[in-house]
Amino acid sequence: QVQLVESGGGLVQAGGSLRLSCAGSGRTDIMYRMGWFRQVPGTEREFVAAISRTIDNKYYSDSVKGRFTVSRDGAKNTAFLQMNSLKPEDTAVYYCGAGSSGSYYATSSYNYWGKGTQVTVSS
């Protein structure tokens, strides 16, 4: 079992930056891939970014590529999402997930989820 807690969300003006953190606890003997997703009420949770266990591979949605950077603490199931040049359309609840197999882009590939952190970007 892994428990995930997101933090770092808030209200920011368009063009600003935020850094989200996802702290993992529980089983530390297994390294998981870490993913970031976001969700707006009434819509499906959508993929934002993910990072492999070994940090060698990073994945981004087209909508955030070049603006967001995913990273992790190599020794822990802890991940970060640096978000720059934020836009109003980035407003959502951001969730981190931990998983071990399957597509990086699919919510079904992540076994554990945090409760989310709200990001609001004003125009």
Side-chain angles (χ1 to χ4, degrees):
Q1 287 281 342
V2 174
Q3 293 78 43
L4 302 173
V5 179
E6 303 95 338
S7 61
L11 173 63
V12 64
Q13 287 189 331
S17 299
L18 285 173
R19 186 175 189 246
L20 305 184
S21 299
C22 173
S25 61
R27 292 208 64 170
T28 57
D29 57 323
I30 300 175
M31 287 291 290
Y32 292 92
R33 60 176 60 173
M34 304 293 289
W36 288 97
F37 288 71
R38 64 189 182 187
Q39 189 170 22
V40 175
T43 67
E44 301 222 340
R45 194 169 294 188
E46 67 167 351
F47 172 79
V48 175
I51 186 167
S52 63
R53 302 173 194 178
T54 59
I55 318 180
D56 290 345
N57 298 306
K58 300 179 180 181
Y59 306 85
Y60 298 95
S61 69
D62 288 342
S63 62
V64 307
K65 198 172 295 182
R67 300 188 297 122
F68 291 10
T69 303
V70 63
S71 60
R72 70 181 298 161
D73 182 323
K76 303 176 184 177
N77 289 315
T78 298
F80 307 95
L81 186 67
Q82 177 66 44
M83 305 187 296
N84 299 329
S85 302
L86 282 161
K87 304 175 181 180
E89 51 263 44
D90 294 318
T91 296
V93 177
Y94 283 70
Y95 298 89
C96 71
S100 55
S101 63
S103 169
Y104 282 89
Y105 303 93
T107 56
S108 58
S109 299
Y110 295 84
N111 307 101
Y112 306 101
W113 292 95
K115 294 184 178 181
T117 185
Q118 176 71 47
V119 171
T120 303
V121 184
S122 63
S123 57

